[in-house]
Amino acid sequence: MKRFDLDKISTFVIVITFVLFALALFATGFTKELLLETGVFLVSVKLIIMAHKDNLTNQQMMRELAEIKAKLDEPEPVSDMRQCA
């Protein structure tokens, strides 16, 4: 299984959102507003996870593009000059 690491800011946002969710739960109790607070919390977490996955995909694409660029920058060996003419 792959390890899922979030940056410090994303982790901080998730923790703060969860703390606010817990405070809203205790302040309002188990009412219909609980569904709204749960939705806000889940959307926040989903957006952070989606941004993290996008970042990982972008890093992978940049590595692959760097490999392609390195291959294109390599000079091609010419085995026989008579074949070029």
Side-chain angles (χ1 to χ4, degrees):
M1 185 172 166
K2 290 183 180 180
R3 187 170 177 201
F4 190 75
D5 289 328
L6 290 175
D7 58 348
K8 291 179 182 179
I9 294 174
S10 297
T11 305
F12 180 72
V13 169
I14 289 174
V15 168
I16 292 297
T17 307
F18 182 74
V19 168
L20 292 174
F21 170 72
L23 287 174
L25 176 65
F26 289 118
T28 61
F30 290 99
T31 61
K32 64 180 181 177
E33 284 82 18
L34 177 63
L35 293 175
L36 179 65
E37 296 298 330
T38 304
V40 169
F41 175 69
L42 292 176
V43 167
S44 298
V45 171
K46 175 71 174 178
L47 288 173
I48 291 170
I49 290 172
M50 190 171 61
H52 178 69
K53 287 183 179 181
D54 283 345
N55 187 23
L56 292 178
T57 302
N58 288 341
Q59 289 175 356
Q60 180 183 0
M61 285 191 321
M62 293 303 291
R63 279 192 304 270
E64 291 174 2
L65 285 173
E67 290 174 11
I68 292 170
K69 185 177 184 312
K71 287 181 181 180
L72 288 175
D73 289 342
E74 291 176 0
E76 291 184 25
V78 178
S79 60
D80 191 6
M81 294 301 289
R82 285 179 259 148
Q83 291 177 352
C84 292

